[in-house]
Amino acid sequence: VTGPNASQRPYHHGDLPAALLDAVAGTIETDGLEAVSLRAVARRAGVSHAAPAHHFGDKAGLLAAFATQGFEAFTAALEDARAGVDGTPAERFEAMGRAYLRFAEEHRPWFEVMFRPELMPGHVDHVHLAGSGSFSLLVDQLARCLVPDAPEDEVVALAFGTWAAVHGMATLRVDGPLTKMGVSGDEAVRAVLDFVLARLRAHPGWRGDDAT
Amino acid sequence: VTGPNASQRPYHHGDLPAALLDAVAGTIETDGLEAVSLRAVARRAGVSHAAPAHHFGDKAGLLAAFATQGFEAFTAALEDARAGVDGTPAERFEAMGRAYLRFAEEHRPWFEVMFRPELMPGHVDHVHLAGSGSFSLLVDQLARCLVPDAPEDEVVALAFGTWAAVHGMATLRVDGPLTKMGVSGDEAVRAVLDFVLARLRAHPGWRGDDAT
DNA sequence: TGTACATCAGTGAACGCGCGTTCACTGATGTAC
DNA sequence: TGTACATCAGTGAACGCGCGTTCACTGATGTAC
């Protein structure tokens, strides 16, 4: 006489791989990265502990799939940020930097795994491939902010400075020392983006503020 | 008839706490952070597996002590870098940045633990105290590169940009993605330091290149 | 429409392992007298 | 110099636990005929 019983779970899940990746994110969010285990993830997904291995082979495979999924979302977030702004190249570039930091904050579980190849031995190349797209997006947009004949290595050097600053800020926020220092995240984000853009504007080849 | 037997190890070690902290470093270097356990560390130090708990209480205590030791060495490295250069404030500041990056590369085990409070629950405040000195050193030297009446929050904002860039580069090197991209560490380091200093030199209150 | 069969998804029991922590202990050192 | 005793350092056995992996299995689905 109780309502239709939701617990009559069907034998087949529907999309267990996706549910397992969600469970990885949930586990990291709740209990931290070190709490991720095939068993914990299976438990959270409400499935037998042997099921994850069935789909991902082993723990490294699971984390590699999770990181890959993260990089795809990351690339999409950067692309959206670029496309979502209709302004100067610099405004688009800044939007991408902001999206980078927002991604790290809103998707800590992904971010915590994506840049840690040692978590997924044997899958590094595959994951790296998924990630390399993101970096080229940043380099590409930066190039659009410079004179057309800017030498490649100059662009790359500036891109490294930018990447390091943005990534460093993201890491410091995610790992915790920043919040421990009583610094508001927003202030710090603005400080870093201002820092980067001021540097870029000081570059002789800068054209980022010209109308498109 | 064999030589004097080195294995007649005395019951008392001499300085086991220090030896255990060395063993932590060795374990991280050889097998990675995730391989650190009280038992593994004891094994490496050639001592019973219950010994570490005797000195450090538990695993969090051991890692907290390790991080604290790391921050002390880190602060000393930054101080040495500053004192070791006899030049303009900017030259001293750059030397500190270089020392930051060198420290991360030469002492990866420490660096990998120092900024990860979640590894040492219950000891965060103590470790944070040990670390806060390093950041003030950087802020202080940066202030010496600016006009004397530079507003505090302006200095802090610039310090954050610098810190994020340097720390980001250190992280990217330590975690691996950078080397995966076929980028030489030295190039990347130079790119980031140039990036930071160019930014600082573009600041209106900059006086770092004046003779002292 | 019905039946046989292959394929895939998920189960649950079992294994061996390394872990953190506890605890009564023994060995060594140093201090009081 | 000698003895008693407190203190500290390190031991080793024991515990219970969660883990990754394996494996024969069962349930469900889809395809061939």
Side-chain angles (χ1 to χ4, degrees):
Chain A
V1 205
T2 65
N5 188 351
S7 80
Q8 40 175 300
R9 193 167 51 79
Y11 190 91
H12 284 263
H13 180 283
D15 194 359
L16 185 52
L20 289 169
L21 294 180
D22 286 353
V24 172
T27 304
I28 295 178
E29 201 133 30
T30 311
D31 307 312
L33 177 55
E34 66 286 351
V36 172
S37 69
L38 292 180
R39 296 178 102 109
V41 166
R43 225 177 290 131
R44 181 175 278 260
V47 104
S48 128
H49 68 259
H54 183 67
H55 289 283
F56 297 105
D58 56 11
K59 190 176 177 179
L62 175 65
L63 286 173
F66 185 68
T68 302
Q69 189 192 41
F71 270 120
E72 283 161 5
F74 186 52
T75 303
L78 294 179
E79 268 168 348
D80 287 357
R82 169 151 80 171
V85 170
D86 193 18
T88 63
E91 283 165 344
R92 287 175 184 257
F93 190 63
E94 180 173 1
M96 291 173 81
R98 207 173 287 277
Y100 195 120
L101 289 164
R102 195 178 336 113
F103 184 90
E105 199 195 2
E106 290 179 359
H107 304 290
R108 289 181 46 141
W110 272 334
F111 195 78
E112 241 172 293
V113 172
M114 283 159 58
F115 298 96
R116 310 270 298 277
E118 82 275 11
L119 297 176
M120 36 207 137
H123 303 257
V124 187
D125 290 342
H126 178 253
V127 175
H128 172 242
L129 192 67
S132 58
S134 324
F135 188 66
S136 353
L137 273 181
L138 290 171
V139 173
D140 177 68
Q141 185 61 27
L142 177 56
R144 289 168 201 244
C145 292
L146 300 174
V147 289
D149 58 339
E152 168 90 20
D153 53 341
E154 196 174 277
V155 180
V156 170
L158 288 176
F160 268 125
T162 304
W163 189 27
V166 172
H167 189 80
M169 177 49 57
T171 311
L172 287 171
R173 286 177 92 190
V174 167
D175 283 354
L178 205 65
T179 54
K180 262 284 156 204
M181 296 180 55
V183 183
S184 124
D186 287 353
E187 283 175 63
V189 163
R190 192 168 12 214
V192 167
L193 289 176
D194 286 355
F195 186 92
V196 165
L197 281 162
R199 163 64 186 103
L200 296 175
R201 291 200 167 98
H203 187 76
W206 179 255
R207 292 294 178 274
D209 294 309
D210 297 358
T212 348
Chain B
V1 208
T2 64
N5 189 351
S7 81
Q8 39 176 299
R9 193 167 50 80
Y11 191 89
H12 283 264
H13 180 282
D15 193 359
L16 185 53
L20 289 170
L21 294 180
D22 286 353
V24 172
T27 303
I28 294 177
E29 200 133 33
T30 312
D31 308 313
L33 176 55
E34 65 288 350
V36 172
S37 70
L38 292 180
R39 295 178 103 108
V41 165
R43 224 177 288 131
R44 182 176 277 260
V47 104
S48 128
H49 67 259
H54 183 66
H55 289 282
F56 297 104
D58 56 11
K59 190 176 177 182
L62 174 66
L63 286 173
F66 185 68
T68 302
Q69 189 191 41
F71 270 120
E72 283 161 6
F74 186 52
T75 303
L78 294 180
E79 267 167 350
D80 287 358
R82 169 152 80 171
V85 170
D86 192 18
T88 63
E91 283 164 345
R92 287 174 184 258
F93 190 64
E94 180 173 0
M96 292 173 80
R98 209 174 286 278
Y100 195 121
L101 290 163
R102 195 178 336 112
F103 184 91
E105 199 195 2
E106 290 179 358
H107 304 290
R108 289 181 47 139
W110 272 335
F111 195 79
E112 241 172 293
V113 172
M114 285 159 57
F115 299 95
R116 309 270 298 277
E118 82 275 11
L119 298 176
M120 35 205 138
H123 303 257
V124 186
D125 290 341
H126 179 253
V127 175
H128 172 242
L129 193 68
S132 58
S134 325
F135 187 66
S136 353
L137 274 181
L138 291 171
V139 173
D140 177 69
Q141 184 61 27
L142 177 56
R144 289 169 199 244
C145 292
L146 300 174
V147 289
D149 58 340
E152 168 90 20
D153 53 342
E154 196 174 277
V155 180
V156 170
L158 287 177
F160 268 123
T162 304
W163 189 26
V166 171
H167 189 79
M169 178 49 56
T171 310
L172 287 171
R173 285 177 91 190
V174 167
D175 282 354
L178 205 66
T179 53
K180 260 287 156 198
M181 295 180 55
V183 183
S184 126
D186 287 353
E187 283 175 64
V189 164
R190 191 167 14 212
V192 167
L193 289 176
D194 286 355
F195 187 92
V196 166
L197 282 162
R199 164 64 186 100
L200 296 176
R201 291 200 166 99
H203 187 75
W206 179 256
R207 293 292 179 274
D209 294 309
D210 297 357
T212 347

